[in-house]
Amino acid sequence: MWLLMNDLGLKARLAFSKFMCDEEGDVNIVSIVVLIGIAVLLALFFKDQIHDLLDSLFKTISGNATKAVEKGE
């Protein structure tokens, strides 16, 4: 039993050290940060257009909701 526990412990340590030394995820993190930065810059650049679009969408939604409630009564 002791040998089995020792073997599992060594395998766990080896797997953990491989996980810590593996650098495959670093490129993905950098690319995600760059994409988020681009999205923020685009949102800042088109802030007024996005605001106008959302205003018109919410006005349309609230107008249609009001009409639907009035027809339902």
Side-chain angles (χ1 to χ4, degrees):
M1 184 68 175
W2 176 253
L3 291 175
L4 178 64
M5 294 297 287
N6 193 19
D7 187 42
L8 290 175
L10 288 174
K11 286 181 182 179
R13 280 189 225 139
L14 180 63
F16 182 73
S17 67
K18 282 183 181 180
F19 174 73
M20 293 303 288
C21 293
D22 188 19
E23 297 182 7
E24 289 180 16
D26 292 339
V27 176
N28 292 332
I29 292 172
V30 171
S31 63
I32 289 171
V33 169
V34 169
L35 288 174
I36 290 172
I38 290 171
V40 168
L41 288 175
L42 285 173
L44 290 174
F45 187 73
F46 293 110
K47 181 176 72 170
D48 294 332
Q49 290 87 351
I50 293 171
H51 187 266
D52 293 340
L53 175 68
L54 288 176
D55 279 343
S56 67
L57 285 174
F58 282 120
K59 285 179 185 176
T60 302
I61 290 170
S62 65
N64 288 341
T66 305
K67 288 178 187 176
V69 169
E70 289 173 356
K71 285 183 182 179
E73 291 178 353

